[in-house]
Amino acid sequence: MQISYKFSVPAPTPPKESRSDGIVRHTYNEFSLDLQDHWQSYPSPDPKTLNFYSDKTGAAIILSVQFFAVPDEKAEELANVCIDSRIEAHEQQFPGRVKVLTRSVRPHPGGIGWETSYSAEAEGHNLFIYVGYVTPRKVLNFQMVCNPGREEGAALFNQVMEGFRVKMP
């Protein structure tokens, strides 16, 4: 696959637009994300990755975009590789303690590319919730790492996802 696009993140913090209700909009060329103002961005060594952390919730968000020309016949395979490699990273970090709770690779409802997701738990340590998109020109990854507690983590993830908008393809 060939890299065909560029993703730029202004350093050290992303552009923000505060709103009166305590929400901060983070806007980029490939997505936008509305977060409550207790979420703080922090630097990443990878310029294609954004990191947010909330002291209030004890959770982290990791967003990354990689640009590739993805042929249609390879998109589903790449989507599975993306999920498998992420789950493998959790298993390396917490050997023998990772339980995959959900896993999905399916065509995107809008008909453009593939939508991927999983949730996994490292018992007593973290809950990992992930959603990703493989399109003809990019792979976008959104992962939340939460404290233990499936219900609390799922509720926080769902709340954050209400403000997440991906630009397709």
Side-chain angles (χ1 to χ4, degrees):
M1 291 182 208
Q2 178 182 349
I3 296 176
S4 58
Y5 296 91
K6 292 185 179 184
F7 173 72
S8 61
V9 177
T13 59
K16 295 180 181 180
E17 175 186 311
S18 293
R19 293 192 274 163
S20 62
D21 58 359
I23 301 292
V24 178
R25 174 164 286 166
H26 305 269
T27 304
Y28 297 92
N29 55 344
E30 298 297 328
F31 62 88
S32 66
L33 177 63
D34 294 345
L35 292 172
Q36 293 180 346
D37 58 9
H38 59 82
W39 288 93
Q40 299 298 313
S41 64
Y42 60 96
S44 170
D46 181 353
K48 295 180 190 104
T49 301
L50 298 173
N51 298 298
F52 297 92
Y53 181 77
S54 169
D55 283 328
K56 181 177 177 179
T57 64
I61 296 171
I62 303 101
L63 263 158
S64 66
V65 180
Q66 300 159 317
F67 293 96
F68 300 100
V70 181
D72 288 342
E73 65 274 7
K74 295 287 188 180
E76 182 179 11
E77 178 183 350
L78 178 58
N80 278 298
V81 166
C82 289
I83 285 186
D84 292 342
S85 64
R86 288 177 169 276
I87 292 171
E88 176 62 29
H90 303 318
E91 290 172 346
Q92 288 178 5
Q93 185 179 10
F94 300 101
R97 294 182 281 173
V98 174
K99 179 179 181 181
V100 177
L101 306 171
T102 61
R103 184 184 196 284
S104 174
V105 175
R106 63 184 181 160
H108 184 273
I112 302 170
W114 291 80
E115 184 177 87
T116 61
S117 65
Y118 74 84
S119 59
E121 181 178 54
E123 191 173 337
H125 292 278
N126 294 109
L127 177 67
F128 305 97
I129 306 175
Y130 168 87
V131 65
Y133 302 92
V134 176
T135 75
R137 65 181 197 84
K138 71 181 171 206
V139 176
L140 188 141
N141 304 290
F142 180 105
Q143 181 167 319
M144 182 177 281
V145 181
C146 306
N147 292 325
R150 293 179 189 179
E151 293 80 18
E152 297 88 351
L156 179 61
F157 181 80
N158 291 335
Q159 176 191 32
V160 168
M161 290 304 289
E162 288 177 10
F164 184 54
R165 287 164 300 287
V166 177
K167 296 176 185 171
M168 299 298 274

